[in-house]
Amino acid sequence: MAHSTIMFLTTFLLFFSSLAFAKTHYHDFVVQATKVTRLCKTRSSITVNGQLPGPTLEVNNGDSLVIKVVNKAQYNVTIHWHGVRQIRTAWADGPEFITQCPIRPGGSYTYRFMISGQEGTLWWHAHSSWLRATVYGAIVIRPKERDSYPFAKPNHESVIVLGEWWNANPIDVIRQATRTGGAPNVSDAYTINGQPGDLYNCSKKDTFIVPMGSGETNLIRVINAALNQQLFFTIAGHKLTVVGADASYVKPFTTSVLMLGPGQTTDVLIKGDQPPRQYYIAARAYASAQGAPFDNTTTTAILNYTTTATSAASNSNPIMPNLPPFNDTKTATAFTTSFRSPGKTLVPTTIDENLFITAGLGINQCPKNANSNTCQAPNGTRFTASMNNVSFVLPSNYSLLQAHHHGIPGVFTTDFPATPPVKFDYTGNVSRSLWQPVRGTKVYKLKYGARVQVVLQGTSIFTAENHPIHLHGYDFYVVAEGFGNFDPKSDTARFNLVDPPLRNTVSLPVKGWAVIRFVADNPGTWIMHCHLDVHIGWGLAMVFVVDNGVGQLETLEQPPEDLPVC
Ligand SMILES: *[C@@H]1O[C@H](CO)[C@@H](O)[C@H](O)[C@H]1NC(C)=O
Ligand SMILES: *[C@@H]1O[C@H](CO)[C@@H](O)[C@H](O)[C@H]1NC(C)=O
Ligand SMILES: *[C@@H]1O[C@H](CO)[C@@H](O)[C@H](O)[C@H]1NC(C)=O
Ligand SMILES: *[C@@H]1O[C@H](CO)[C@@H](O)[C@H](O)[C@H]1NC(C)=O
Ligand SMILES: *[C@@H]1O[C@H](CO)[C@@H](O)[C@H](O)[C@H]1NC(C)=O
Ligand SMILES: *[C@@H]1O[C@H](CO)[C@@H](O)[C@H](O)[C@H]1NC(C)=O
Ligand SMILES: *[C@@H]1O[C@H](CO)[C@@H](O)[C@H](O)[C@H]1NC(C)=O
Ligand SMILES: *[C@@H]1O[C@H](CO)[C@@H](O)[C@H](O)[C@H]1NC(C)=O
Ligand SMILES: *[C@@H]1O[C@H](CO)[C@@H](O)[C@H](O)[C@H]1NC(C)=O
Ligand SMILES: *[C@@H]1O[C@H](CO)[C@@H](O)[C@H](O)[C@H]1NC(C)=O
Ligand SMILES: [Cu+2]
């Protein structure tokens, strides 16, 4: 009797000590119209809880989140937890019509998921039309309480979310472009934590301040939440030591400039080793498409030494850093190819599924009698985009996950091609006969546990550019990238199968390629798409449907009772 009581108590205590560290965080996110003033203009913006950016979620690795999203806005909305693996909880991933139907005005949905095996910085954002222009925020994931960072504990931590601001309602901007078939208007400003900074009019008093102590170390978590623009980021006078990206640690390396595509995060350490005064933190476009219009403004925050400065230094303007030229692909490439995983990786060395996927823009011809107002892309056409010549179309009556889980026919087809239907000189002068893709809701099926390689190949149809390609539900290893057409003979030899970085969003080089690998160990319907919202709207996306494996731990959970229906 006494023995079994002791056994029971021991088991009980062991159980609780293992759980004692893991917490569950409850949040209410109210999506609502809020008056926001930027650049001297006030307009109604959709926000979470009236905040821009929205609330930062701070958790430890292993914690769970329960977030009730209430939609008090006039638009359909969903929230995506960008980079969270969502193992067995695809119902909580968020992309509209992929894993759920939208939360309608007046409706609500509670997202329940766990953070497992990820540390660093992720973020959340609306995944419905262009609402993420103002519906976004950071997710800070610290090590488990009994663990520590793989670097000396920093004295301070700061989050820097880079955003993009339109004076017009972003929903009107994308609706206008969808109607006309042309490119949407570019933004009026970039922002740091919601503020344009003092290089813009009317922004001086709201410029974001990062405090810096002399001799101290600051961990800065940089997130690119811009809608349509890759950004260079730098801090005057300070070296940036990169220690993480997309919630995975990296082998530390030092640089003076970062380049982040929308969707990417980068954690850097900076040291307070400069004379005490103010230094600008600045970001502006890396614009890789030749001749395409872009927002060429510069957003700033201020790194402010809290140590008393000489009065001369404290009265002078902050020091402005040099930023690379807008089209500086060399600097962007030097940065993206510096990433290595810190230790041994689990990169698959045997491949079961080898896909080759082209990604790029396209042009749809308009019918002869079409209204010219709806054909405003060059020479009376409409812009489109595709992967392997399929321009992805969202379903409208069921989400793909519902259709997959319940076996509802007629929502998607499983014929997404594993290779381009036509082989051509992808990065050369592409014949006009190849410019118009087909439309479809085509998915690619993967067995549970399949070891997958995807060669992503950019095209120069209409114009070549860098595309930030994001995969939901997974982190993948980036084993190589390069320029021109991928050549399996010579380029395979360049694969890094030793310490490739783990990411959720890869910068597909302009007129180039990138190779990613992952193990399909998470059942569900997972969209892989360009994270420039203008391109996803044109169809630059595809979906992997990953089957259940064997047993409960390899099986998608049952759908939540409050899952929105269409
Ligand atoms: C886009 O820009 C054009 C030209 O400046 C302007 O006429 C139009 O109103 C803008 N569209 C929106 C939705 O703001
Ligand atoms: C800032 O305001 C000045 C004076 O009103 C104006 O001339 C200038 O164009 C504005 N600059 C921007 C970037 O809006
Ligand atoms: C940004 O573009 C505008 C309009 O094309 C141009 O007048 C201006 O000089 C450019 N600014 C920079 C910093 O390149
Ligand atoms: C910058 O730091 C100094 C010294 O601590 C402080 O007096 C000043 O208020 C700070 N400036 C801002 C804009 O936060
Ligand atoms: C970048 O832009 C500059 C100025 O517009 C131009 O002279 C240069 O040729 C461009 N470089 C590349 C690599 O396109
Ligand atoms: C549009 O037509 C002009 C004149 O025929 C041609 O030079 C140009 O290449 C065309 N542009 C596109 C994108 O088709
Ligand atoms: C869903 O919608 C598509 C396209 O609108 C239609 O073809 C299909 O029959 C619908 N499926 C079901 C199950 O209602
Ligand atoms: C691309 O090919 C088309 C048709 O073959 C030709 O008219 C055009 O001049 C070529 N453009 C370039 C930049 O080589
Ligand atoms: C895409 O498919 C369309 C329709 O079959 C075809 O006209 C076009 O040439 C294809 N383009 C490519 C790049 O495969
Ligand atoms: C909102 O979502 C529903 C499907 O749940 C759809 O029928 C409706 O068209 C959507 N509304 C808008 C404005 O997109
Ligand atoms: Cu893109």
Side-chain angles (χ1 to χ4, degrees):
M1 188 68 191
H3 180 72
S4 68
T5 306
I6 289 166
M7 280 291 285
F8 172 79
L9 278 176
T10 311
T11 314
F12 185 82
L13 285 174
L14 277 177
F15 177 73
F16 273 92
S17 63
S18 71
L19 277 191
F21 296 103
K23 297 175 292 295
T24 301
H25 305 259
Y26 295 85
H27 293 274
D28 287 318
F29 273 23
V30 180
V31 179
Q32 60 191 79
T34 307
K35 284 216 177 317
V36 175
T37 303
R38 296 290 185 273
L39 308 177
C40 323
K41 295 184 181 71
T42 302
R43 71 164 168 86
S44 175
S45 292
I46 306 302
T47 67
V48 167
N49 300 350
Q51 296 168 237
L52 179 61
T56 297
L57 301 175
E58 298 198 49
V59 302
N60 295 94
N61 184 3
D63 289 356
S64 295
L65 285 148
V66 177
I67 300 164
K68 181 174 184 187
V69 176
V70 178
N71 185 2
K72 292 194 176 163
Q74 55 167 323
Y75 304 106
N76 286 341
V77 75
T78 64
I79 307 281
H80 168 53
W81 318 93
H82 183 113
V84 173
R85 287 287 320 268
Q86 299 289 4
I87 292 164
R88 301 180 54 227
T89 54
W91 304 108
D93 190 42
E96 171 177 278
F97 299 114
I98 307 294
T99 59
Q100 68 168 99
C101 295
I103 309 171
R104 310 273 197 107
S108 71
Y109 178 45
T110 301
Y111 293 85
R112 296 166 189 275
F113 57 91
M114 208 180 143
I115 306 289
S116 45
Q118 300 187 292
E119 288 179 21
T121 308
L122 295 174
W123 59 299
W124 56 265
H125 62 79
H127 214 298
S128 183
S129 184
W130 272 24
L131 284 179
R132 80 171 178 86
T134 50
V135 177
Y136 64 85
I139 306 178
V140 169
I141 312 170
R142 301 206 169 81
K144 292 179 178 174
E145 274 165 16
R146 57 171 183 274
D147 293 345
S148 51
Y149 292 119
F151 41 81
K153 191 173 188 294
N155 302 93
H156 300 282
E157 293 191 17
S158 315
V159 172
I160 287 202
V161 196
L162 306 172
E164 203 169 359
W165 173 261
W166 277 260
N167 286 329
N169 178 350
I171 303 295
D172 294 342
V173 174
I174 184 55
R175 283 187 180 161
Q176 179 181 41
T178 306
R179 199 168 56 242
T180 65
N185 290 358
V186 300
S187 53
D188 297 289
Y190 300 107
T191 55
I192 290 180
N193 294 341
Q195 296 298 340
D198 59 14
L199 303 187
Y200 299 85
N201 285 336
C202 316
S203 298
K204 196 165 188 78
K205 69 178 182 357
D206 297 318
T207 296
F208 188 74
I209 308 290
V210 176
M212 183 85 235
S214 283
E216 300 194 331
T217 302
N218 201 332
L219 171 61
I220 302 193
R221 304 166 181 274
V222 188
I223 301 166
N224 186 348
L227 247 71
N228 294 320
Q229 194 59 63
Q230 295 84 345
L231 295 166
F232 286 121
F233 172 93
T234 191
I235 303 178
H238 291 74
K239 289 250 169 287
L240 312 172
T241 301
V242 178
V243 292
D246 296 3
S248 290
Y249 295 115
V250 303
K251 220 171 256 174
F253 67 94
T254 299
T255 177
S256 59
V257 60
L258 315 180
M259 193 287 285
L260 298 95
Q264 296 184 311
T265 74
T266 307
D267 291 356
V268 299
L269 294 173
I270 59 167
K271 268 197 93 70
D273 56 6
Q274 294 301 305
R277 57 172 298 162
Q278 295 193 332
Y279 299 84
Y280 272 124
I281 298 170
R284 73 172 192 182
Y286 163 47
S288 62
Q290 236 177 9
F294 66 98
D295 175 349
N296 65 5
T297 62
T298 304
T299 182
T300 53
I302 293 171
L303 184 73
N304 184 44
Y305 275 70
T306 49
T307 334
T308 318
T310 64
S311 66
S314 56
N315 290 335
S316 52
N317 288 330
I319 296 184
M320 188 65 196
N322 288 320
L323 278 152
F326 296 116
N327 59 359
D328 192 346
T329 292
K330 222 177 139 189
T331 294
T333 307
F335 177 69
T336 58
T337 55
S338 295
F339 286 80
R340 302 283 182 276
S341 278
K344 260 177 80 107
T345 64
L346 298 170
V347 59
T349 49
T350 309
I351 294 300
D352 305 307
E353 293 273 4
N354 190 2
L355 288 86
F356 187 105
I357 301 183
T358 57
L361 302 190
I363 291 285
N364 281 333
Q365 294 302 326
C366 281
K368 286 217 163 55
N369 56 354
N371 179 342
S372 66
N373 291 335
T374 64
C375 300
Q376 303 261 301
N379 299 347
T381 61
R382 293 177 61 83
F383 280 122
T384 181
S386 65
M387 285 181 145
N388 273 354
N389 205 35
V390 183
S391 183
F392 186 76
V393 178
L394 289 171
S396 58
N397 37 16
Y398 293 97
S399 72
L400 294 183
L401 191 59
Q402 282 175 298
H404 165 63
H405 185 74
H406 300 291
I408 301 161
V411 180
F412 60 82
T413 57
T414 55
D415 55 346
F416 182 84
T419 53
V422 177
K423 304 213 171 6
F424 56 98
D425 178 2
Y426 307 109
T427 51
N429 180 11
V430 183
S431 155
R432 282 301 287 250
S433 66
L434 297 172
W435 282 27
Q436 182 158 328
V438 295
R439 285 162 55 83
T441 309
K442 297 177 188 291
V443 308
Y444 192 86
K445 288 206 85 166
L446 292 171
K447 287 206 175 62
Y448 184 92
R451 292 158 294 185
V452 184
Q453 169 171 297
V454 183
V455 177
L456 293 161
Q457 173 69 61
T459 74
S460 51
I461 292 174
F462 180 69
T463 169
E465 67 179 284
N466 176 296
H467 300 277
I469 305 290
H470 172 50
L471 173 61
H472 289 224
Y474 290 92
D475 287 328
F476 49 72
Y477 291 101
V478 183
V479 300
E481 64 167 79
F483 290 98
N485 299 337
F486 176 76
D487 178 351
K489 283 199 200 78
S490 52
D491 292 326
T492 308
R494 297 169 46 193
F495 286 4
N496 174 3
L497 300 179
V498 178
D499 57 2
L502 200 53
R503 307 286 315 237
N504 64 50
T505 306
V506 62
S507 263
L508 176 56
V510 52
K511 285 196 186 183
W513 50 269
V515 182
I516 64 171
R517 289 188 177 191
F518 63 97
V519 179
D521 59 1
N522 190 14
T525 54
W526 305 110
I527 186 167
M528 181 167 78
H529 64 90
C530 179
H531 218 285
L532 307 179
D533 274 22
V534 52
H535 292 176
I536 188 178
W538 289 340
L540 215 171
M542 58 80 68
V543 169
F544 288 110
V545 174
V546 180
D547 284 335
N548 287 329
V550 178
Q552 193 194 345
L553 292 178
E554 299 182 359
T555 299
L556 176 68
E557 289 181 357
Q558 289 302 309
E561 300 216 326
D562 61 342
L563 183 73
V565 293
C566 291

